[in-house]
Every structure is written in C-alpha cells, then in structure tokens.
C-alpha cells in the first residue's frame, strides 16, 4: 500500500506539471493538487547569482495578428503592455522565472515592456544578467529606486524581509516610470503567469485607480492593531467604504489617476503615522489598504492564486483556491526555488519549476 500511495502522489504532481506547461493558457480547479504537511518552508539562505548562473530563455515571438511591437519606438508606444517587477538578489531567480512565464504564455510577447526596479548598487550587473538571460527582449528598462527615498518611513515588521526598501518601490511607480506610461501591471517576484498577460492588462478599472483580486471573506481587522480600531482618528478612514483585503503583489494601476490624486503622498502619510502610533504590523501592505481598500476595481481571483508560500509561522503546503487559474503566487514565507533546492518541495512547487532558468536547478 505504501508504494501505491507514493506513486499516486508522484502521478498527481506530474499531471499538474503537464496541465500548467507553457503551452497552456489556463486550467480548471479539478487539476488542483491537494495540500500536504511540509517539514520546513522557512527562508533558506540565498545564493549569489552571476550573469552565467542562468540559461538563455526559450525563443519567443509575436503571433502574426499582433500589432506593431514598438521595439524600435521606445517605452511610449501606445500598443505596449507595461509590466513592473523588482530585481532583488535574494529573489532574482523568482523574478526571472516570472518574466519567462509571461513571455511563454503571451500571444504578443514582443509587445510587453518590462520595467525592472532595482535598489542594489549592482545595477549594471543585474542589467547584464537580465539581458544575457533574455537576449531577444528589447522592451526593457532598469530603474534605480534609491533606498533612502523610503528608508526613514519603514517600521519594523513581523518578518525582516518585509522591511526591505525595494518592497515599497511599488508606491513610487508613478514617479519612476515615464509620464507617457499611463497604466502598469505590478507583479511580485514570487509568481508565475500561466495565461496571456494582455487579458489582465485589458481589465476595466472604471473610476478606480487600482484593480486587484479582493478577498472580502478575510478577517480585515487583523491587518491593524487594537489601538487602530479603538481610535476614531484612524478607524474612521474606512467609514462608508466597505473595505476588503487585497494582495498588493498583483495590481493593475492607472498611473495617470495616481499622479493626479498624489497617492504616493497619501501612503507616505500613513507610514509617518505608523512610526508614531504603531497601527499595523505587516510592512508595505497596510498603507495600501488604508488608502485603497473599498475603492478597488475587483479583478477575477484567477489572477492571484496567492498564499502558496505557506504559513508565515509554521511550515505548511497550500491548496489552490477553487476556480480557474491564470497566475500562481507563492506569497508567504516559503519560496519554490528554495524548497526545491532543499529537496523538500511542496507539491505545487513543481508547477513553478518549468519556468526556472537557473542553470544548476535541473
């Protein structure tokens, strides 16, 4: 019986890998792998990466029906899809896998412009690495985000990783990106896209400034301290708003509206209050909730199957949520590349592996 159980688990994982291979656009929840207990999903020590650490990406090209990719006309081409993602040494392998997944599933990959945000002094090394890994990717630009821009506003968090300045770069996209960029998709580094990114790009935001999958069943009160909820100076900000939790790792942002209403300043103001009053514990997320919760354009949950990193306190593997899947997100403490290297992966980590371009990962 033991070998039958083991075979069943291996078969299930293999089936899921086939279903989410780069040739597929999305899949039904029937293919979801069941959760299992995991001995350790904690954060492992990251390796140093050089430009020779990654394999060259697979070939990608636009389909015949795509509009002009604008590869020679620059960032202001109106036909481009704009994606912003951070490049951090500790999460670099994840960022590269995310970009690879987007390119492999896009009908018009040459029409996607990548805005890479960097706060490391090794900006030239990181740019060289990206260009050598994606030699055919012409639509890209590296932006330096100075840590001192936000350093004095950052408060201690439940995890040290959440205190890194680059986590706050999303707050400054309207300032970092060119004024001609009116809309951008912001993505975390610990995810893969298994659908055409243009579908997310075309999401209607209506009168809202940002769009994201909302989770109104979540206990919203836990994102703020008891002191916040007992003080009318603070809790009154949600009056009449019907706020819901949303994950800031996947957002569609109207930069034109963001600039018009100075949302960066509003977020910074809440961070200043946090330094004085300690109204939350979770890094860069709560200021976004304070400014936008209740004013978010809802996006289908298929675009953020989040929480796959597992429990922040004790190691655990997670299920997929019910419904179709377009994006898998390893938010939480465990990252797929670290668990795979440790030989202690969660079942769903095998879905990330086909997009991994790290040379020593296979």
């Amino acid at each position: 019986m033991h070998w039958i159980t083991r075979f069943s688990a291996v078969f299930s994982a293999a089936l899921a890998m086939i279903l989410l291979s780069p040739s597929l656009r999305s899949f039904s929840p029937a293919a979801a792998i069941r959760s299992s207990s995991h001995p350790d999903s904690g954060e492992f020590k990251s390796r140093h990466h050089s430009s020779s650490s990654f394999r060259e990406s697979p070939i990608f090209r636009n389909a015949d029906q795509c509009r002009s990719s604008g590869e020679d006309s620059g960032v202001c081409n109106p036909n481009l899809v704009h994606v912003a993602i951070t490049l951090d040494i500790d999460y670099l392998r994840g960022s590269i896998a995310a970009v690879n997944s987007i390119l492999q599933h896009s009908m018009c990959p040459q029409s996607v412009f990548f805005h890479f945000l960097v706060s490391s002094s090794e900006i030239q090394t990181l740019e060289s690495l990206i260009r050598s890994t994606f030699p055919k990717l012409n639509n890209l630009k590296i932006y330096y985000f100075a840590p001192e821009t936000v350093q004095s506003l950052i408060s201690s968090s439940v995890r040290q990783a959440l205190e890194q300045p680059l986590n706050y770069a999303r707050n400054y996209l309207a300032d970092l990106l060119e004024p001609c960029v009116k809309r951008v998709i912001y993505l975390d580094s610990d995810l893969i896209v298994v659908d055409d990114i243009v579908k997310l790009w075309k999401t209607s935001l209506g009168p809202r400034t940002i769009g994201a999958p909302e989770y109104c069943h979540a206990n919203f009160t836990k994102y703020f301290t008891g002191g916040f909820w007992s003080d009318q100076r603070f809790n009154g900000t949600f009056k009449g708003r019907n706020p819901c939790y949303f994950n800031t790792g996947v957002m569609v942002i109207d930069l034109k509206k963001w600039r018009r209403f100075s949302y960066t300043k509003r977020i910074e103001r809440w961070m200043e209050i946090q330094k004085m009053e300690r109204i939350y514990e979770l890094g860069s997320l709560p200021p976004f909730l304070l400014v936008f919760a209740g004013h978010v354009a809802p996006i289908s949950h298929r675009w953020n199957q989040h929480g796959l990193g597992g429990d922040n306190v004790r190691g655990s593997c997670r299920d997929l949520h019910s419904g179709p899947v377009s994006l898998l997100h390893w938010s939480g403490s465990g990252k797929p590349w670290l668990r795979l290297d440790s030989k202690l992966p969660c079942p769903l980590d095998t879905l990330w592996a086909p997009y991994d371009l790290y040379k020593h990962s296979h």
Side-chain angles (χ1 to χ4, degrees), residues 81-347:
V81 172
H82 295 276
V83 176
I85 191 167
T86 59
L87 292 181
D88 178 86
I89 294 298
D90 291 333
Y91 290 85
L92 188 57
R93 194 164 156 191
S95 297
I96 287 176
V99 172
N100 187 31
S101 72
I102 292 169
L103 294 172
Q104 296 307 312
H105 287 281
S106 296
M107 181 178 291
C108 307
Q110 293 170 291
S111 300
V112 181
F113 195 105
F114 289 93
H115 305 264
F116 293 109
L117 312 175
V118 177
S119 63
S120 168
S121 59
E122 300 180 51
I123 183 169
Q124 292 182 333
T125 300
L126 289 170
E127 180 169 2
S128 175
L129 189 152
I130 290 294
R131 292 191 182 279
S132 64
T133 305
F134 300 98
K136 303 298 183 183
L137 181 59
N138 296 321
N139 284 334
L140 71 88
K141 184 174 178 180
I142 310 292
Y143 300 78
Y144 179 68
F145 176 67
E148 56 269 23
T149 303
V150 72
Q151 190 75 65
S152 64
L153 295 172
I154 297 175
S155 302
S156 59
S157 183
V158 293
R159 278 198 295 137
Q160 188 174 4
L162 300 177
E163 300 171 21
Q164 300 307 310
L166 197 56
N167 287 338
Y168 296 83
R170 72 193 86 185
N171 303 359
Y172 298 88
L173 287 170
D175 300 322
L176 292 168
L177 274 54
E178 288 77 359
C180 65
V181 180
K182 302 295 196 299
R183 170 183 283 221
V184 68
I185 297 171
Y186 175 82
L187 298 176
D188 273 352
S189 300
D190 52 357
L191 55 77
I192 55 172
V193 177
V194 293
D195 204 341
D196 196 331
I197 195 73
V198 74
K199 297 177 184 177
L200 181 58
W201 174 255
K202 290 182 177 179
T203 298
S204 173
L205 300 184
R208 305 306 189 189
T209 300
I210 70 169
E214 291 184 294
Y215 302 90
C216 295
H217 63 280
N219 180 7
F220 190 79
T221 61
K222 72 178 183 179
Y223 295 101
F224 302 94
T225 64
F228 172 89
W229 293 113
S230 63
D231 193 325
Q232 290 187 343
R233 293 177 302 162
F234 305 138
N235 62 42
T237 191
F238 293 122
K239 186 177 181 180
R241 283 171 56 176
N242 190 27
C244 294
Y245 162 75
F246 64 95
N247 181 282
T248 53
V250 179
M251 296 186 291
V252 181
I253 304 173
D254 185 326
L255 293 177
K256 187 176 181 180
K257 289 178 182 174
W258 185 292
R259 295 173 181 126
R260 183 191 311 161
F261 296 109
S262 302
Y263 281 114
T264 297
K265 294 297 184 184
R266 299 190 192 188
I267 290 174
E268 287 181 334
R269 178 54 184 154
W270 279 113
M271 293 176 70
E272 291 169 353
I273 292 173
Q274 160 72 355
K275 294 286 285 189
M276 297 181 292
E277 303 284 351
R278 196 67 184 177
I279 57 176
Y280 56 80
E281 305 288 349
L282 282 172
S284 62
L285 169 63
F288 256 89
L289 297 179
L290 286 161
V291 173
F292 292 109
H295 297 310
V296 175
I299 293 176
S300 170
H301 289 178
R302 70 185 301 151
W303 285 104
N304 197 352
Q305 288 270 341
H306 69 293
L308 303 184
D311 198 306
N312 285 334
V313 178
R314 61 180 176 81
S316 63
C317 296
R318 293 289 182 86
D319 284 335
L320 292 175
H321 308 297
S322 62
V325 179
S326 293
L327 184 151
L328 295 100
H329 187 186
W330 278 262
S331 57
S333 62
K335 303 306 173 188
W337 56 93
L338 299 177
R339 293 194 298 221
L340 287 164
D341 284 354
S342 74
K343 309 301 182 185
L344 295 171
C346 288

Side-chain angles (χ1 to χ4, degrees), residues 10-86:
V10 172
F11 177 78
S12 297
L15 177 60
M17 287 183 67
I18 293 171
L19 288 170
L20 281 180
S21 68
S23 63
L24 189 71
R25 297 297 182 228
S26 61
F27 72 98
S28 80
I33 300 174
R34 304 310 302 164
S35 66
S36 64
S37 147
H38 186 265
D40 184 9
S41 65
E43 302 202 31
F44 299 90
K45 185 176 180 180
S46 180
R47 298 174 182 172
H48 176 72
H49 300 300
S50 67
S51 59
S52 60
S53 299
F54 294 88
R55 302 187 306 279
E56 188 174 306
S57 69
I59 294 173
F60 58 87
R61 61 174 62 89
N62 278 3
D64 293 339
Q65 58 267 49
C66 296
R67 294 182 179 182
S68 171
S69 66
E71 290 190 304
D72 298 324
S73 58
V75 68
C76 294
N77 186 299
N79 296 325
L80 294 173
V81 172
H82 295 276
V83 176
I85 191 167
T86 59

